[in-house]
Amino acid sequence: MSKVKIGVQASTVKKSFEEVGPYETLKKLHEIGYNSIEISQVATTPENISQIQKATADFGMEIASMSASLKPQVKDGESLTTHYDKIVADCKAVGTDLLRIGMLPIDAMASLDKVLEFCHDVNEVTQKLKEDGITLYYHNHHIEFRKYDGKFLLDIIREKAPLLGFELDVHWVQRGGANPLEVIKDYKGKVELIHLKDYRIAEIPQDGFDALYSGDVAKFMDYFTNTIQFAELGTGSLPLKEIIEESISSGARYLLVEQDDTYGVDPFESLKISRNHLLELGYGNLF
């Protein structure tokens, strides 16, 4: 098995991709120490693909994986159903054999029947991609830890789409009420991609207490019940060293640092903080 590598999820700096393009964004990520990138929420235009190719060649970087949806999620959006050949060509152009679906189709989030339909369709396209040399993975959020007849939805997806691999996001697993260590262990052999982000309980802001003292209990309770934040590695409560070791043991190829929201902090600075923590944990050799 190839050495495990730590990289970054491109969506963390998606504004940079939009403002200065892939080449300059990847250059900056390389300069702060990230050399493996998962492409997500970045338009895969011919120009952008060309810039990604140039950046990886110039800076010695690699594309860990690309992203796609099963069906269009926005009007005229790309998907494996409508743009299969292009998506495969893009993967090959940037040199990756891993492709990931970032979330359930929107209409499946409240319908088990729709999830089962998704499973049937995604299993078929997983087989087709395999024949083209590409492995397909599914990225979880918290909603996959809703239970149906005692089973997590994520486990139902695994059962009903047996060819599909999984990209486990440890923050979202925790937010779903499950134990990231146990879930990674349970998915051993089916998880080559892991999203690393910490899980932080934020302070209630003064505005919340002011609302309470003025009699607005509902506003205070809104603050009180919504204190969970995405966090730089090492600034939250997840046992990251144990998670990383379990990920390696379970067959992960890439551990990808991601932060969905940085709450006003420059995203590149957040990525530096996370990288520094990983260096402190002794994982500098994985970059």
Side-chain angles (χ1 to χ4, degrees), residues 154-167:
L154 191 70
D155 294 335
I156 293 172
I157 294 171
R158 175 174 57 177
E159 177 186 333
K160 298 298 183 181
L163 299 179
L164 187 65
F166 290 85
E167 177 177 59

Side-chain angles (χ1 to χ4, degrees), residues 59-267:
F59 309 129
M61 303 174 79
E62 64 181 71
I63 301 305
S65 54
M66 295 288 279
S67 301
S69 60
L70 179 63
K71 297 179 180 179
Q73 297 300 294
V74 296
K75 189 178 188 311
D76 301 322
E78 287 187 9
S79 76
L80 285 163
T81 303
T82 57
H83 297 77
Y84 179 88
D85 290 340
K86 178 189 180 299
I87 291 169
V88 169
D90 287 345
C91 288
K92 294 184 182 298
V94 301
T96 185
D97 62 342
L98 306 182
L99 181 67
R100 40 89 66 178
I101 290 175
M103 64 192 307
L104 274 178
I106 300 300
D107 65 352
M109 291 186 182
S111 167
L112 180 58
D113 286 342
K114 287 289 185 181
V115 172
L116 296 178
E117 180 183 312
F118 166 79
C119 290
H120 174 270
D121 293 344
V122 83
N123 203 58
E124 288 191 346
V125 80
T126 303
Q127 177 60 43
K128 187 176 180 182
L129 285 165
K130 183 179 180 181
E131 293 165 4
D132 283 314
I134 295 170
T135 307
L136 186 63
Y137 294 84
Y138 173 81
H139 172 275
N140 71 279
H141 289 84
H142 56 339
I143 57 174
E144 290 85 358
F145 294 92
R146 177 181 177 183
K147 284 189 172 180
Y148 291 88
D149 295 327
K151 287 185 179 180
F152 286 137
L153 184 59
L154 191 70
D155 294 335
I156 293 172
I157 294 171
R158 175 174 57 177
E159 177 186 333
K160 298 298 183 181
L163 299 179
L164 187 65
F166 290 85
E167 177 177 59
L168 296 177
D169 185 307
V170 299
H171 173 101
W172 284 112
V173 172
Q174 179 80 7
R175 194 179 286 218
N179 183 326
L181 281 168
E182 292 302 318
V183 174
I184 293 168
K185 185 176 182 180
D186 186 37
Y187 277 68
K188 182 175 184 176
K190 291 185 74 70
V191 53
E192 289 190 273
L193 299 166
I194 296 284
H195 275 188
L196 294 178
K197 70 182 74 150
D198 219 332
Y199 180 97
R200 182 171 61 215
I201 303 300
E203 293 181 352
I204 298 172
Q206 185 59 44
D207 185 49
F209 295 106
D210 291 343
L212 178 64
Y213 300 147
S214 68
D216 191 345
V217 177
K219 185 174 182 180
F220 169 78
M221 290 304 298
D222 184 56
Y223 279 116
F224 179 77
T225 56
N226 290 285
T227 56
I228 297 170
Q229 290 186 344
F230 304 105
E232 292 84 2
L233 302 182
T235 68
S237 58
L238 292 181
L240 293 169
K241 189 170 184 65
E242 292 88 345
I243 283 171
I244 291 169
E245 291 301 316
E246 189 60 57
S247 298
I248 293 170
S249 175
S250 293
R253 281 172 58 184
Y254 293 98
L255 310 175
L256 301 158
V257 179
E258 181 189 30
Q259 196 164 336
D260 303 50
D261 192 334
T262 60
Y263 311 100
V265 177
D266 181 273

